[in-house]
Coordinates of all heavy atoms in Angstrom, one line a residue:
M715 N 112.7 -43.5 -4.8 CA 111.9 -43.8 -3.6 C 111.5 -45.3 -3.6 O 111.0 -45.8 -4.6 CB 110.7 -42.9 -3.5 CG 109.8 -43.2 -2.4 SD 108.3 -42.2 -2.4 CE 109.0 -40.6 -2.2
G716 N 111.7 -46.0 -2.5 CA 111.4 -47.4 -2.5 C 109.9 -47.6 -2.4 O 109.1 -46.7 -2.1
Y717 N 109.5 -48.8 -2.8 CA 108.1 -49.1 -2.9 C 107.4 -49.0 -1.5 O 106.3 -48.5 -1.4 CB 107.9 -50.5 -3.5 CG 106.5 -51.0 -3.5 CD1 105.5 -50.5 -4.3 CD2 106.1 -52.0 -2.6 CE1 104.2 -50.9 -4.3 CE2 104.7 -52.4 -2.5 CZ 103.8 -51.9 -3.4 OH 102.5 -52.3 -3.4
R718 N 108.1 -49.6 -0.5 CA 107.5 -49.6 0.8 C 107.3 -48.2 1.4 O 106.3 -47.9 2.0 CB 108.4 -50.4 1.8 CG 108.4 -51.9 1.5 CD 109.2 -52.7 2.4 NE 108.6 -52.6 3.8 CZ 109.2 -53.0 4.9 NH1 110.5 -53.5 4.8 NH2 108.7 -52.9 6.0
L719 N 108.3 -47.3 1.2 CA 108.2 -45.9 1.7 C 107.0 -45.2 0.9 O 106.3 -44.5 1.5 CB 109.5 -45.2 1.4 CG 109.6 -43.8 2.0 CD1 109.4 -43.7 3.5 CD2 110.9 -43.1 1.6
R720 N 106.9 -45.4 -0.4 CA 105.8 -44.8 -1.1 C 104.5 -45.3 -0.6 O 103.5 -44.5 -0.4 CB 106.0 -45.2 -2.6 CG 105.0 -44.6 -3.5 CD 105.3 -45.1 -5.0 NE 104.4 -44.5 -5.9 CZ 104.6 -43.3 -6.5 NH1 105.7 -42.6 -6.3 NH2 103.7 -42.8 -7.3
L721 N 104.4 -46.6 -0.3 CA 103.1 -47.2 0.2 C 102.8 -46.6 1.6 O 101.6 -46.3 1.8 CB 103.2 -48.7 0.3 CG 102.0 -49.4 0.7 CD1 100.8 -49.2 -0.3 CD2 102.2 -50.9 0.9
I722 N 103.8 -46.4 2.4 CA 103.6 -45.9 3.8 C 103.0 -44.4 3.6 O 102.1 -44.0 4.3 CB 104.9 -45.9 4.6 CG1 105.2 -47.4 5.0 CG2 104.8 -45.0 5.8 CD1 106.5 -47.5 5.6
K723 N 103.6 -43.7 2.7 CA 103.2 -42.3 2.6 C 101.8 -42.2 2.0 O 101.0 -41.4 2.4 CB 104.1 -41.5 1.6 CG 105.4 -41.2 2.3 CD 106.3 -40.4 1.4 CE 107.6 -40.1 2.1 NZ 108.5 -39.3 1.3
Q724 N 101.4 -43.2 1.1 CA 100.1 -43.2 0.6 C 99.0 -43.6 1.7 O 97.9 -43.0 1.7 CB 100.0 -44.1 -0.6 CG 100.7 -43.6 -1.8 CD 100.7 -44.6 -3.0 OE1 100.7 -45.8 -2.8 NE2 100.8 -44.0 -4.2
I725 N 99.4 -44.5 2.6 CA 98.5 -44.8 3.7 C 98.4 -43.6 4.6 O 97.2 -43.4 5.1 CB 99.1 -46.1 4.4 CG1 99.0 -47.3 3.5 CG2 98.3 -46.3 5.7 CD1 99.7 -48.5 4.1
Q726 N 99.5 -42.9 4.8 CA 99.4 -41.7 5.7 C 98.4 -40.7 5.0 O 97.6 -40.0 5.7 CB 100.7 -41.0 5.8 CG 101.6 -41.8 6.8 CD 103.0 -41.2 6.8 OE1 103.5 -40.5 5.9 NE2 103.8 -41.4 7.9
G727 N 98.4 -40.6 3.7 CA 97.6 -39.7 3.0 C 96.1 -40.1 3.1 O 95.2 -39.2 3.3
V728 N 95.8 -41.4 3.0 CA 94.4 -41.8 3.2 C 93.9 -41.5 4.6 O 92.8 -41.0 4.8 CB 94.3 -43.3 2.9 CG1 93.0 -43.9 3.4 CG2 94.6 -43.6 1.5
V729 N 94.8 -41.7 5.6 CA 94.4 -41.3 7.0 C 94.2 -39.8 7.1 O 93.2 -39.4 7.8 CB 95.5 -41.8 8.0 CG1 95.3 -41.3 9.4 CG2 95.6 -43.3 8.0
M730 N 95.0 -39.0 6.5 CA 94.8 -37.6 6.5 C 93.5 -37.2 5.9 O 92.8 -36.3 6.4 CB 96.0 -36.8 5.8 CG 97.2 -36.9 6.6 SD 98.6 -36.2 5.7 CE 98.2 -34.5 5.6
V731 N 93.2 -37.7 4.7 CA 91.9 -37.4 4.0 C 90.7 -37.8 4.9 O 89.8 -37.0 5.1 CB 91.8 -38.1 2.6 CG1 90.5 -37.9 2.0 CG2 92.9 -37.4 1.7
V732 N 90.7 -39.0 5.4 CA 89.6 -39.5 6.3 C 89.5 -38.6 7.5 O 88.4 -38.2 7.9 CB 89.8 -41.0 6.6 CG1 88.8 -41.4 7.7 CG2 89.7 -41.8 5.4
G733 N 90.6 -38.3 8.1 CA 90.6 -37.4 9.3 C 90.1 -36.0 9.0 O 89.4 -35.5 9.8
G734 N 90.5 -35.5 7.9 CA 90.0 -34.2 7.5 C 88.5 -34.2 7.3 O 87.8 -33.2 7.8
F735 N 87.9 -35.2 6.7 CA 86.5 -35.3 6.5 C 85.8 -35.4 7.8 O 84.8 -34.8 8.1 CB 86.1 -36.4 5.5 CG 86.2 -36.1 4.1 CD1 87.1 -36.8 3.3 CD2 85.4 -35.1 3.6 CE1 87.2 -36.4 1.9 CE2 85.5 -34.7 2.2 CZ 86.4 -35.4 1.4
V736 N 86.3 -36.3 8.7 CA 85.7 -36.5 10.0 C 85.7 -35.2 10.8 O 84.8 -34.8 11.5 CB 86.4 -37.6 10.8 CG1 86.0 -37.6 12.3 CG2 86.2 -38.9 10.2
F737 N 86.9 -34.4 10.7 CA 87.0 -33.2 11.4 C 85.9 -32.2 10.9 O 85.3 -31.5 11.6 CB 88.4 -32.6 11.2 CG 88.7 -31.3 11.9 CD1 88.9 -31.3 13.2 CD2 88.6 -30.1 11.2 CE1 89.2 -30.1 13.9 CE2 88.9 -28.9 11.8 CZ 89.1 -28.9 13.2
L738 N 85.8 -32.1 9.5 CA 84.8 -31.2 9.0 C 83.3 -31.5 9.4 O 82.5 -30.7 9.6 CB 84.9 -31.2 7.4 CG 86.1 -30.5 6.8 CD1 86.0 -30.6 5.3 CD2 86.1 -29.0 7.2
V739 N 83.0 -32.8 9.5 CA 81.7 -33.3 9.8 C 81.4 -33.0 11.3 O 80.3 -32.6 11.7 CB 81.5 -34.8 9.5 CG1 80.2 -35.3 10.1 CG2 81.5 -34.9 8.0
T740 N 82.4 -33.3 12.2 CA 82.1 -33.2 13.6 C 82.3 -31.8 14.2 O 81.8 -31.5 15.2 CB 83.0 -34.2 14.4 OG1 84.4 -33.9 14.1 CG2 82.7 -35.6 14.0
M741 N 83.1 -31.0 13.5 CA 83.4 -29.6 14.0 C 82.3 -28.7 13.7 O 82.0 -28.4 12.5 CB 84.8 -29.1 13.4 CG 85.3 -27.9 14.1 SD 85.9 -28.3 15.7 CE 86.5 -26.7 16.2
N742 N 81.7 -28.1 14.7 CA 80.6 -27.1 14.4 C 80.6 -26.0 15.5 O 79.7 -26.0 16.4 CB 79.2 -27.8 14.4 CG 78.2 -26.9 13.9 OD1 78.4 -25.9 13.3 ND2 76.9 -27.3 14.1
P743 N 81.7 -25.2 15.5 CA 81.8 -24.2 16.6 C 80.8 -23.0 16.4 O 80.4 -22.7 15.2 CB 83.2 -23.7 16.4 CG 83.6 -23.9 15.0 CD 82.8 -25.1 14.6
P744 N 80.3 -22.4 17.5 CA 79.3 -21.4 17.3 C 79.8 -20.0 16.9 O 79.1 -19.2 16.3 CB 78.7 -21.3 18.8 CG 79.8 -21.7 19.6 CD 80.6 -22.8 18.8
I745 N 81.1 -19.8 17.1 CA 81.7 -18.5 16.7 C 82.1 -18.6 15.2 O 82.8 -19.5 14.8 CB 82.9 -18.2 17.6 CG1 82.5 -18.2 19.1 CG2 83.5 -16.8 17.2 CD1 83.7 -18.2 20.0
E746 N 81.8 -17.6 14.4 CA 81.9 -17.6 13.0 C 83.4 -17.7 12.6 O 83.8 -18.5 11.7 CB 81.3 -16.4 12.3 CG 81.3 -16.5 10.8 CD 80.6 -15.4 10.2 OE1 79.8 -14.7 10.8 OE2 80.8 -15.2 9.0
I747 N 84.3 -16.9 13.2 CA 85.7 -16.9 12.8 C 86.3 -18.3 13.1 O 87.2 -18.8 12.4 CB 86.5 -15.7 13.5 CG1 87.9 -15.7 12.9 CG2 86.5 -15.9 15.0 CD1 88.0 -15.2 11.5
V748 N 85.9 -18.9 14.2 CA 86.5 -20.2 14.6 C 86.0 -21.2 13.6 O 86.7 -22.1 13.2 CB 86.1 -20.5 16.0 CG1 86.6 -21.9 16.4 CG2 86.6 -19.5 17.0
A749 N 84.7 -21.1 13.2 CA 84.2 -22.0 12.2 C 84.9 -21.9 10.8 O 85.2 -22.9 10.2 CB 82.7 -21.7 12.0
Q750 N 85.3 -20.7 10.5 CA 86.0 -20.5 9.2 C 87.4 -21.1 9.3 O 87.9 -21.7 8.4 CB 86.1 -19.0 8.9 CG 84.8 -18.5 8.4 CD 84.9 -17.0 8.2 OE1 85.8 -16.3 8.5 NE2 83.8 -16.4 7.6
L751 N 88.1 -20.9 10.5 CA 89.4 -21.5 10.7 C 89.3 -23.1 10.7 O 90.2 -23.7 10.2 CB 90.0 -21.0 12.0 CG 90.5 -19.6 12.0 CD1 90.9 -19.2 13.4 CD2 91.6 -19.4 11.0
A752 N 88.3 -23.6 11.3 CA 88.1 -25.0 11.3 C 87.9 -25.6 9.9 O 88.4 -26.6 9.5 CB 86.9 -25.4 12.2
L753 N 87.1 -24.8 9.1 CA 86.9 -25.2 7.7 C 88.2 -25.2 6.9 O 88.5 -26.2 6.2 CB 85.9 -24.3 7.1 CG 85.6 -24.6 5.6 CD1 84.9 -25.9 5.4 CD2 84.7 -23.4 5.0
L754 N 89.0 -24.2 7.1 CA 90.3 -24.1 6.5 C 91.2 -25.2 6.9 O 91.9 -25.8 6.1 CB 90.9 -22.7 6.8 CG 92.3 -22.4 6.1 CD1 92.1 -22.3 4.6 CD2 92.8 -21.1 6.7
T755 N 91.2 -25.5 8.2 CA 92.1 -26.6 8.7 C 91.7 -27.9 8.1 O 92.5 -28.7 7.6 CB 92.0 -26.6 10.2 OG1 92.4 -25.4 10.8 CG2 92.9 -27.7 10.8
G756 N 90.4 -28.2 8.0 CA 89.9 -29.5 7.5 C 90.3 -29.6 6.0 O 90.7 -30.6 5.5
L757 N 90.1 -28.5 5.2 CA 90.3 -28.5 3.8 C 91.8 -28.7 3.5 O 92.2 -29.4 2.6 CB 89.8 -27.3 3.1 CG 88.2 -27.2 3.1 CD1 87.8 -25.9 2.5 CD2 87.6 -28.3 2.4
L758 N 92.7 -28.0 4.3 CA 94.1 -28.1 4.1 C 94.6 -29.5 4.5 O 95.5 -30.0 3.8 CB 94.9 -27.1 5.0 CG 94.8 -25.6 4.5 CD1 95.5 -24.7 5.5 CD2 95.4 -25.5 3.1
T759 N 94.0 -30.1 5.5 CA 94.3 -31.5 5.8 C 94.0 -32.5 4.7 O 94.8 -33.3 4.3 CB 93.6 -31.9 7.1 OG1 94.0 -31.0 8.2 CG2 94.0 -33.3 7.6
I760 N 92.8 -32.3 4.1 CA 92.4 -33.1 3.0 C 93.3 -32.9 1.8 O 93.7 -33.9 1.1 CB 90.9 -32.8 2.7 CG1 90.0 -33.3 3.8 CG2 90.5 -33.5 1.4 CD1 88.6 -32.9 3.7
A761 N 93.6 -31.6 1.5 CA 94.5 -31.4 0.4 C 95.9 -32.0 0.6 O 96.5 -32.6 -0.3 CB 94.6 -29.8 0.2
G762 N 96.4 -31.9 1.8 CA 97.7 -32.5 2.1 C 97.6 -34.0 2.0 O 98.6 -34.6 1.5
G763 N 96.5 -34.6 2.4 CA 96.4 -36.0 2.2 C 96.4 -36.5 0.8 O 97.0 -37.5 0.4
F764 N 95.8 -35.7 -0.1 CA 95.8 -36.0 -1.5 C 97.2 -35.9 -2.1 O 97.6 -36.6 -3.0 CB 94.8 -35.1 -2.3 CG 93.4 -35.6 -2.2 CD1 92.4 -34.9 -1.7 CD2 93.0 -36.9 -2.7 CE1 91.1 -35.3 -1.6 CE2 91.7 -37.4 -2.6 CZ 90.8 -36.6 -2.1
I765 N 98.0 -34.9 -1.6 CA 99.4 -34.8 -2.1 C 100.1 -36.0 -1.6 O 100.9 -36.6 -2.4 CB 100.0 -33.5 -1.5 CG1 99.4 -32.3 -2.2 CG2 101.5 -33.5 -1.7 CD1 99.8 -31.0 -1.6
Y766 N 99.9 -36.5 -0.4 CA 100.6 -37.7 0.1 C 100.2 -38.9 -0.8 O 101.0 -39.8 -1.1 CB 100.2 -38.0 1.5 CG 101.1 -37.5 2.6 CD1 101.1 -36.1 2.9 CD2 101.9 -38.3 3.3 CE1 102.0 -35.6 3.8 CE2 102.8 -37.8 4.3 CZ 102.8 -36.5 4.5 OH 103.6 -36.0 5.5
I767 N 98.9 -39.0 -1.2 CA 98.5 -40.2 -2.0 C 99.0 -40.1 -3.4 O 99.6 -41.1 -3.9 CB 96.9 -40.2 -2.0 CG1 96.4 -40.5 -0.6 CG2 96.4 -41.3 -3.0 CD1 94.9 -40.3 -0.5
F768 N 98.9 -39.0 -4.1 CA 99.2 -39.0 -5.5 C 100.6 -38.5 -5.9 O 101.1 -38.9 -6.9 CB 98.1 -38.1 -6.3 CG 96.8 -38.6 -6.2 CD1 95.8 -38.0 -5.5 CD2 96.4 -39.8 -6.9 CE1 94.5 -38.5 -5.4 CE2 95.1 -40.3 -6.8 CZ 94.2 -39.7 -6.1
F769 N 101.2 -37.8 -5.0 CA 102.6 -37.3 -5.2 C 103.5 -37.5 -4.0 O 104.0 -36.6 -3.4 CB 102.6 -35.8 -5.6 CG 101.6 -35.4 -6.7 CD1 100.4 -34.8 -6.5 CD2 102.0 -35.8 -8.0 CE1 99.6 -34.5 -7.5 CE2 101.2 -35.5 -9.1 CZ 100.0 -34.8 -8.8
P770 N 103.6 -38.8 -3.6 CA 104.4 -39.0 -2.4 C 105.9 -38.6 -2.5 O 106.6 -38.4 -1.5 CB 104.3 -40.5 -2.1 CG 103.9 -41.1 -3.5 CD 103.1 -40.0 -4.2
E771 N 106.4 -38.5 -3.8 CA 107.8 -38.1 -3.9 C 108.0 -36.7 -3.6 O 109.2 -36.3 -3.4 CB 108.3 -38.4 -5.4 CG 107.5 -37.7 -6.4 CD 106.2 -38.5 -6.9 OE1 106.0 -39.6 -6.4 OE2 105.5 -38.0 -7.7
L772 N 107.0 -35.9 -3.5 CA 107.1 -34.5 -3.1 C 107.2 -34.3 -1.6 O 107.6 -33.2 -1.2 CB 105.9 -33.7 -3.6 CG 105.7 -33.6 -5.1 CD1 104.4 -32.8 -5.4 CD2 106.9 -32.9 -5.8
V773 N 106.9 -35.3 -0.9 CA 106.9 -35.2 0.6 C 108.3 -35.6 1.1 O 108.8 -36.6 0.7 CB 105.8 -36.1 1.2 CG1 105.8 -36.0 2.7 CG2 104.5 -35.8 0.6
W774 N 108.8 -34.8 2.0 CA 110.2 -35.1 2.5 C 110.1 -36.4 3.3 O 109.2 -36.7 4.0 CB 110.6 -34.0 3.5 CG 111.1 -32.8 2.8 CD1 111.2 -32.6 1.4 CD2 111.5 -31.6 3.4 NE1 111.7 -31.4 1.1 CE2 111.8 -30.7 2.3 CE3 111.5 -31.1 4.7 CZ2 112.2 -29.4 2.5 CZ3 112.0 -29.8 4.9 CH2 112.3 -29.0 3.8
D775 N 111.2 -37.1 3.3 CA 111.4 -38.3 4.1 C 111.6 -37.9 5.5 O 112.5 -37.0 5.8 CB 112.5 -39.2 3.6 CG 112.3 -39.8 2.2 OD1 111.1 -39.8 1.8 OD2 113.2 -40.1 1.5
T776 N 111.0 -38.5 6.5 CA 111.2 -38.1 7.9 C 112.6 -38.5 8.4 O 113.1 -37.8 9.2 CB 110.1 -38.8 8.8 OG1 110.1 -40.2 8.5 CG2 108.7 -38.3 8.5
D777 N 113.2 -39.5 7.8 CA 114.5 -39.9 8.3 C 115.6 -38.8 7.9 O 116.7 -38.8 8.4 CB 114.9 -41.3 7.8 CG 114.9 -41.4 6.3 OD1 114.3 -40.5 5.6 OD2 115.4 -42.4 5.7
V778 N 115.3 -38.0 6.9 CA 116.2 -36.9 6.5 C 116.3 -35.9 7.6 O 117.3 -35.2 7.8 CB 115.7 -36.3 5.2 CG1 116.5 -35.0 4.8 CG2 115.8 -37.3 4.0
L779 N 115.2 -35.7 8.4 CA 115.1 -34.7 9.4 C 115.9 -35.0 10.6 O 116.2 -34.2 11.4 CB 113.7 -34.4 9.7 CG 112.8 -33.9 8.6 CD1 111.4 -33.7 9.0 CD2 113.3 -32.6 8.0
F780 N 116.2 -36.3 10.8 CA 116.8 -36.7 12.1 C 118.2 -37.1 11.9 O 118.7 -37.7 11.0 CB 116.0 -37.9 12.7 CG 114.6 -37.6 13.1 CD1 113.6 -38.0 12.4 CD2 114.4 -36.8 14.2 CE1 112.3 -37.7 12.7 CE2 113.1 -36.4 14.5 CZ 112.1 -36.9 13.8

């Protein structure tokens, strides 16, 4: 994996982690099941962001899909 592609994936990971935290802080639905799904979504986004940051070689290259 090239250095630039690795750096791009790490930047995407940082954006995912920050977005997940913002989502968790701002999301406060009144219905309990929706709140649990929102919590799960935010935590999965943060976990995915950490995978992008620390293990970018595990993430598929988008140009392979096209």
Side-chain angles (χ1 to χ4, degrees):
M715 175 183 299
Y717 174 73
R718 290 181 65 192
L719 184 60
R720 183 179 182 90
L721 183 64
I722 288 170
K723 288 183 180 184
Q724 289 176 333
I725 292 171
Q726 288 173 337
V728 170
V729 171
M730 286 174 68
V731 170
V732 170
F735 277 119
V736 168
F737 182 79
L738 285 179
V739 169
T740 59
M741 191 71 179
N742 192 14
I745 305 170
E746 185 176 344
I747 186 70
V748 178
Q750 290 175 351
L751 289 174
L753 177 67
L754 181 66
T755 302
L757 292 177
L758 286 175
T759 304
I760 292 169
F764 279 119
I765 290 174
Y766 266 74
I767 293 171
F768 294 111
F769 305 106
E771 58 274 357
L772 296 178
V773 182
W774 284 355
D775 295 336
T776 53
D777 57 349
V778 173
L779 302 176
F780 295 107

